[in-house]
Amino acid sequence: MSKQGILFVVTGPSGVGKGTVLTKVRERKELYFSISATTRKPREGEQDGVHYYFLTKEQFEQKVAEGGFLEHAQFSGNYYGTPAEPVDRQLKEGKDILLEIEVQGAMQVRENRPDAVRIFLAPPSFAELEKRLTGRGTEDAEAIRLRLETAKHELTLAPQFDYIVVNNTVEQAVSDVLAIMQAEACRAARTQID
Amino acid sequence: MSKQGILFVVTGPSGVGKGTVLTKVRERKELYFSISATTRKPREGEQDGVHYYFLTKEQFEQKVAEGGFLEHAQFSGNYYGTPAEPVDRQLKEGKDILLEIEVQGAMQVRENRPDAVRIFLAPPSFAELEKRLTGRGTEDAEAIRLRLETAKHELTLAPQFDYIVVNNTVEQAVSDVLAIMQAEACRAARTQID
């Protein structure tokens, strides 16, 4: 029995704690990641195929036209995207993959790969997210206001995901994400009886 | 936010180890159970509403007609069934319920309660199940042959369940069942963001 890997997509609003939670998840479970493609210029020390796949605007748009991305978006005049081919190849090899992407990108993945398992990491409450973003103290009031406005919209999209993990405490959220990964491996559609 | 409980249904062929696995699951998670109804006569010491709800054939058939059972079946001329009302009441109170029932009954629950989470406990292989049933040494060859024939048919129904947990080792199976329960509590359809 050759088992296909599972594609996990984790998203959530800015400030919810995705990075902290997923770093701990990776410490406890082997998960492959994908290298994004971008049209922005490489920064000092960045290597093609390691930090990013660096593409020209034309190459990127060609790849979009061919359906070569699981998701893509434009930020500050540059394209960013998740190339489909390396992900599909690793899944075929039986490797589980974890994509950490922003909410709109995660919505696109569902259309392109309906069998992806999509997890939305949510704050305990909107007030709590506000507190966390303000508490960072690294941004001005206007930047925080914009992030909160985006977050408010993103939270309305949460019910469209497969799972909602509320980040009450990091340990609970990590435990929930790991449980989801273990449970999904038991899905009848993915299990074959000898 | 008042959270509805989750109805978990665990089934699997005779000899697969349901009892052992579920006893350990109950040690690690609070799960309510349901009391079955039956038309067979109470045995010495059995109390109505504790061990079973004892009904007459007429009462049972009336209840079937009213849709009062989540599942029911006939064995050796007696009816057995899971009354819907106590289950639905406990779910409404936010209690998670674990029903351990045979395969045909578990199939019926899906029709009556499509939101039930149905787990099929499977042996690592058919040969292994054969070994376990024969190893018990409590039954004659013909009884074992009949059990294996039933098991073979039941295994073909496993893909119709939500999850298949392979009972390779008790600890792994217990861990998988608990992970499924934890993950299902994170299902977007069951989670509400404040």
Side-chain angles (χ1 to χ4, degrees):
Chain A
M1 162 181 162
S2 70
K3 212 163 176 166
Q4 172 96 354
I6 305 173
L7 177 58
F8 296 103
V9 177
V10 180
T11 192
S14 170
V16 79
K18 283 193 295 295
T20 311
V21 170
L22 295 182
T23 300
K24 283 180 186 286
V25 166
R26 286 181 193 283
E27 283 167 9
R28 285 156 68 175
K29 179 174 165 64
E30 185 173 42
L31 288 159
Y32 293 80
F33 59 95
S34 89
I35 299 164
S36 297
T38 183
T39 57
R40 80 153 166 75
K41 295 280 163 284
R43 291 181 191 140
E44 180 87 28
E46 282 185 343
Q47 288 175 275
D48 186 48
V50 177
H51 301 89
Y52 280 98
Y53 295 110
F54 293 102
L55 303 182
T56 64
K57 191 162 177 272
E58 292 68 33
Q59 288 172 321
F60 200 104
E61 286 171 350
Q62 169 78 20
K63 218 173 156 74
V64 170
E66 291 164 354
F69 287 107
L70 295 187
E71 56 86 30
H72 72 281
Q74 214 168 357
F75 296 107
S76 325
N78 289 307
Y79 284 120
Y80 293 83
T82 306
E85 192 278 323
V87 169
D88 290 335
R89 181 164 32 81
Q90 292 190 304
L91 291 175
K92 206 168 280 176
E93 291 168 6
K95 294 172 181 167
D96 292 339
I97 298 181
L98 173 57
L99 296 185
E100 179 189 345
I101 45 183
E102 39 73 52
V103 179
Q104 291 297 342
M107 302 286 289
Q108 284 181 46
V109 175
R110 182 177 53 173
E111 282 160 46
N112 292 318
R113 292 294 179 283
D115 54 343
V117 177
R118 294 162 328 111
I119 303 170
F120 191 99
L121 193 64
S125 67
F126 190 74
E128 178 62 28
L129 186 69
E130 205 164 351
K131 214 173 86 186
R132 289 183 195 178
L133 280 173
T134 315
R136 282 177 170 183
T138 52
E139 288 177 315
D140 61 29
E142 175 61 11
I144 290 171
R145 199 191 57 77
L146 273 172
R147 276 189 197 274
L148 283 170
E149 204 165 279
T150 305
K152 193 166 253 173
H153 169 65
E154 288 173 343
L155 287 174
T156 66
L157 301 173
Q160 297 185 41
F161 284 73
D162 298 313
Y163 297 95
I164 299 174
V165 170
V166 179
N167 191 10
N168 284 303
T169 70
V170 173
E171 265 319 300
Q172 181 59 45
V174 169
S175 166
D176 281 346
V177 171
L178 288 168
I180 290 166
M181 291 176 168
Q182 187 177 348
E184 283 290 333
C186 299
R187 280 256 153 212
R190 294 197 179 91
T191 310
Q192 213 176 300
I193 300 178
D194 297 326
Chain B
M1 161 181 162
S2 69
K3 212 164 177 163
Q4 172 98 354
I6 307 173
L7 177 58
F8 296 103
V9 177
V10 179
T11 191
S14 170
V16 79
K18 284 192 295 294
T20 312
V21 169
L22 295 181
T23 300
K24 282 180 187 287
V25 166
R26 287 182 192 281
E27 283 167 9
R28 285 154 71 176
K29 179 173 165 65
E30 186 173 41
L31 289 159
Y32 294 81
F33 59 96
S34 89
I35 298 164
S36 298
T38 183
T39 57
R40 79 154 165 74
K41 295 279 162 287
R43 291 180 193 141
E44 179 88 28
E46 281 184 343
Q47 288 176 277
D48 185 49
V50 177
H51 301 90
Y52 280 98
Y53 295 110
F54 294 102
L55 304 182
T56 64
K57 191 162 176 272
E58 291 66 37
Q59 288 172 322
F60 200 104
E61 286 171 351
Q62 169 79 21
K63 219 174 157 73
V64 169
E66 291 165 354
F69 288 107
L70 297 185
E71 55 86 32
H72 71 281
Q74 215 169 356
F75 295 108
S76 324
N78 290 308
Y79 285 119
Y80 293 83
T82 305
E85 191 278 323
V87 170
D88 291 335
R89 181 166 29 83
Q90 292 189 305
L91 291 175
K92 207 168 278 175
E93 290 168 7
K95 294 173 181 167
D96 293 338
I97 298 181
L98 173 57
L99 296 186
E100 179 190 344
I101 45 183
E102 40 73 51
V103 179
Q104 292 296 342
M107 302 286 289
Q108 284 180 47
V109 176
R110 181 176 53 173
E111 282 159 48
N112 292 319
R113 292 295 179 281
D115 55 343
V117 177
R118 295 162 326 112
I119 303 171
F120 191 99
L121 192 65
S125 67
F126 189 74
E128 178 61 27
L129 186 69
E130 205 164 352
K131 215 173 86 188
R132 289 183 195 178
L133 280 174
T134 315
R136 284 178 168 182
T138 51
E139 288 177 316
D140 61 30
E142 175 60 12
I144 291 171
R145 198 191 58 77
L146 273 172
R147 275 189 197 274
L148 284 169
E149 205 166 278
T150 305
K152 193 168 253 170
H153 169 65
E154 288 173 344
L155 287 174
T156 66
L157 301 173
Q160 297 184 41
F161 284 72
D162 298 313
Y163 297 94
I164 298 174
V165 169
V166 179
N167 191 10
N168 283 304
T169 69
V170 173
E171 263 321 301
Q172 180 59 45
V174 169
S175 166
D176 281 347
V177 172
L178 288 168
I180 290 166
M181 291 175 168
Q182 188 176 347
E184 283 290 333
C186 299
R187 281 257 153 210
R190 294 197 181 91
T191 311
Q192 212 177 303
I193 298 177
D194 296 325

